[in-house]
Amino acid sequence: MHTETHVPDRLIASDRVEGTAVYDPAGERLGTVERFMVDKASGQAEYAVLGFGGLFGFGNRHYPLPWKALTYDTGRGGYVVNVSKEQIEGAPSYETGEEPRYDRDYDARVYGYYGILA
Amino acid sequence: MHTETHVPDRLIASDRVEGTAVYDPAGERLGTVERFMVDKASGQAEYAVLGFGGLFGFGNRHYPLPWKALTYDTGRGGYVVNVSKEQIEGAPSYETGEEPRYDRDYDARVYGYYGILA
């Protein structure tokens, strides 16, 4: 009998976060984490950038999500975010090559949109 | 005259951290950050994994450095770590495919080796 207790790993490799699926609470796949934004000094992840990996439609738009809005679901092997696809569509986003500055105003705008305290 | 004040970006993209050079205080290039290890729940970066990207010698060994041991040097466009090449050579490391568990014992071992408080 296999009695070893499975302790989920506490840490995840950055290049495993990249490409991980993001789901809404109903289990619908919203997209993937393309990359995440880290505070250079503190090492704190502040945004996960949601993308759709496609060439058409939303494919070239990127949606920074507050890192705190994501919950890692070990069973699903992906992140769950408590927002709907419709909410994402109206969320702050940018096109490839037009990355935001991620200054305080932008923080307030994005965190405010998702109702998360920065 | 160009009078715009340059404010260095506070955030860095995860896929830009990966591949960034790591230097010793004298400016010698030690290797690159291959990936970094992030606490799934908090989003805090805890280790930067130093590698050498080569096929020979140290090429298949990976050296987890405490994230706090790294300082980002904007001028150099890379991280500076206050250790010598010789210290790195004796540091905790692993071979490809033998990733550590990153449990408390491992934290104590690595952070202790570099004299950093976990």
Side-chain angles (χ1 to χ4, degrees):
Chain A
M1 203 174 99
H2 186 68
T3 54
E4 191 189 329
T5 306
H6 178 67
V7 182
D9 293 331
R10 191 174 51 91
L11 304 184
I12 187 168
S14 52
D15 53 353
R16 274 199 60 203
V17 175
E18 296 157 4
T20 297
V22 179
Y23 300 95
D24 75 7
E28 190 180 357
R29 196 172 182 283
L30 296 170
T32 57
V33 178
E34 296 181 313
R35 63 183 53 81
F36 56 105
M37 304 301 301
V38 178
D39 186 295
K40 280 177 192 170
S42 70
Q44 178 65 46
E46 300 202 357
Y47 292 94
V49 182
L50 177 72
F52 308 99
L55 293 167
F56 309 107
F58 285 116
N60 64 341
R61 291 209 75 82
H62 313 278
Y63 295 75
L65 304 175
W67 179 272
K68 292 175 192 168
L70 302 176
T71 306
Y72 191 78
D73 181 332
T74 314
R76 205 171 257 150
Y79 292 97
V80 176
V81 63
N82 192 22
V83 294
S84 66
K85 197 170 183 175
E86 290 68 33
Q87 278 178 293
I88 295 284
E89 284 169 7
S93 66
Y94 64 89
E95 288 189 22
T96 304
E98 298 187 342
E99 278 73 12
R101 285 301 310 262
Y102 293 108
D103 55 14
R104 282 175 199 280
D105 286 350
Y106 193 77
D107 290 350
R109 199 176 138 219
V110 177
Y111 277 69
Y113 183 85
Y114 292 104
I116 301 275
L117 293 174
Chain B
M1 202 173 98
H2 187 69
T3 53
E4 191 189 329
T5 306
H6 179 67
V7 182
D9 293 330
R10 189 174 52 91
L11 304 184
I12 188 167
S14 52
D15 53 353
R16 273 198 60 203
V17 175
E18 297 157 2
T20 296
V22 178
Y23 300 95
D24 75 6
E28 190 181 357
R29 194 173 184 283
L30 296 170
T32 57
V33 178
E34 296 181 312
R35 62 183 54 81
F36 56 106
M37 304 301 300
V38 178
D39 186 295
K40 280 178 191 169
S42 70
Q44 179 65 47
E46 300 202 357
Y47 292 94
V49 182
L50 177 72
F52 308 98
L55 293 168
F56 309 106
F58 285 116
N60 64 341
R61 292 208 75 83
H62 313 278
Y63 295 75
L65 304 175
W67 180 272
K68 292 175 192 167
L70 302 177
T71 306
Y72 191 79
D73 181 332
T74 314
R76 205 171 257 152
Y79 292 97
V80 177
V81 64
N82 192 24
V83 294
S84 67
K85 197 169 184 175
E86 289 68 34
Q87 278 179 292
I88 295 285
E89 284 169 6
S93 65
Y94 64 90
E95 287 189 21
T96 303
E98 298 186 342
E99 279 73 12
R101 284 301 309 264
Y102 293 108
D103 55 15
R104 283 174 199 280
D105 286 350
Y106 193 77
D107 290 350
R109 200 175 138 218
V110 176
Y111 277 68
Y113 183 86
Y114 292 104
I116 301 274
L117 292 174

